[in-house]
Amino acid sequence: MKKDIEWFLNEINKIYQEVVRGEKSFNEEALLFHIATIARDMDEPEKPVVPQFVAEHIIRQKELTATLLQAIGRIKLSGTEMVNWITTDGNDVLFCKAWLYGYEVEKEILWEIPLPDLKTSDGDIQYLTYDHKAKTYFASRRNAQLKQAFNAKDLASVPTPHRHYAVLCDFNKKSRR
């Protein structure tokens, strides 16, 4: 949310309404302190939202005590995904803001692959599951301990016959309202 003058006035109005309804009471000193706190929050810049790989680059560079300029200079070392992202219009500014003000990590969209023709003996649908150690796929009932959610990159590696069963994970649907 942009913390501009309209936001400030809305916050002051909320306090006023709470006092009028008798939900809160302030002495003059406490009221002035509360208003000053709200005004101070106006100076707080919004944190930009960046992909996970950008956040990882920032973390890595800050651990190396790099300056912003050094972090930008080392972008090529992070790979083509990072280079492609930073050269997209406006992302260079977004990167600088993330470095200076902090950031939020973009929620990664995940898919799961229910296998409707495969059910457990008690009737539960099985899901395509990936075993990192064996580098193989298998069917299993839903299990939070197993890799059963796939990002876009993972999905490209899923065997073609199973890919068309992919559906957005439920938590993606809720957060996209």
Side-chain angles (χ1 to χ4, degrees):
M1 170 191 247
K2 188 174 179 186
K3 295 181 178 177
D4 57 8
I5 193 70
E6 185 177 336
W7 172 84
F8 178 77
L9 293 173
N10 283 335
E11 292 298 306
I12 298 301
N13 189 46
K14 285 179 195 174
I15 294 169
Y16 175 76
Q17 294 300 324
E18 289 172 341
V19 170
V20 168
R21 288 190 302 261
E23 296 169 3
K24 283 192 178 175
S25 63
F26 293 99
N27 62 32
E28 283 183 31
E29 187 177 314
L31 182 59
L32 288 173
F33 178 79
H34 196 64
I35 290 171
T37 303
I38 293 169
R40 187 192 67 230
D41 287 348
M42 282 181 63
D43 289 337
E44 186 179 303
E46 285 186 65
K47 290 184 178 180
V49 178
V50 298
Q52 180 66 41
F53 61 88
V54 173
E56 289 169 3
H57 180 75
I58 291 172
I59 290 167
R60 197 168 35 257
Q61 295 308 309
K62 287 194 175 194
E63 285 173 351
L64 295 171
T65 64
T67 64
L68 173 58
L69 189 57
Q70 289 168 327
I72 291 170
R74 295 174 181 161
I75 284 175
K76 285 184 180 177
L77 301 174
S78 287
T80 56
E81 186 176 37
M82 183 69 185
V83 171
N84 290 341
W85 182 85
I86 198 79
T87 55
T88 300
D89 195 33
N91 284 349
D92 52 348
V93 173
L94 194 65
F95 180 83
C96 292
K97 286 181 179 179
W99 180 273
L100 295 170
Y101 308 126
Y103 53 85
E104 293 181 25
V105 177
E106 189 174 82
K107 192 163 192 100
E108 186 174 37
I109 306 234
L110 298 173
W111 288 268
E112 60 188 0
I113 303 176
L115 302 169
D117 297 332
L118 294 175
K119 295 188 178 180
T120 61
S121 57
D122 55 353
D124 286 344
I125 289 179
Q126 295 199 37
Y127 290 81
L128 189 67
T129 307
Y130 185 71
D131 182 341
H132 287 288
K133 289 180 183 174
K135 296 186 181 210
T136 60
Y137 293 91
F138 62 96
S140 174
R141 71 175 62 230
R142 192 181 297 255
N143 182 332
Q145 305 302 314
L146 300 173
K147 175 151 177 72
Q148 295 178 321
F150 304 92
N151 63 24
K153 191 175 177 181
D154 295 336
L155 202 56
S157 301
V158 167
T160 307
H162 303 298
R163 241 181 264 155
H164 73 280
Y165 291 119
V167 294
L168 281 176
C169 290
D170 284 340
F171 60 85
N172 288 325
K173 294 173 189 170
K174 291 175 188 164
S175 66
R176 295 177 62 118
R177 284 184 190 166

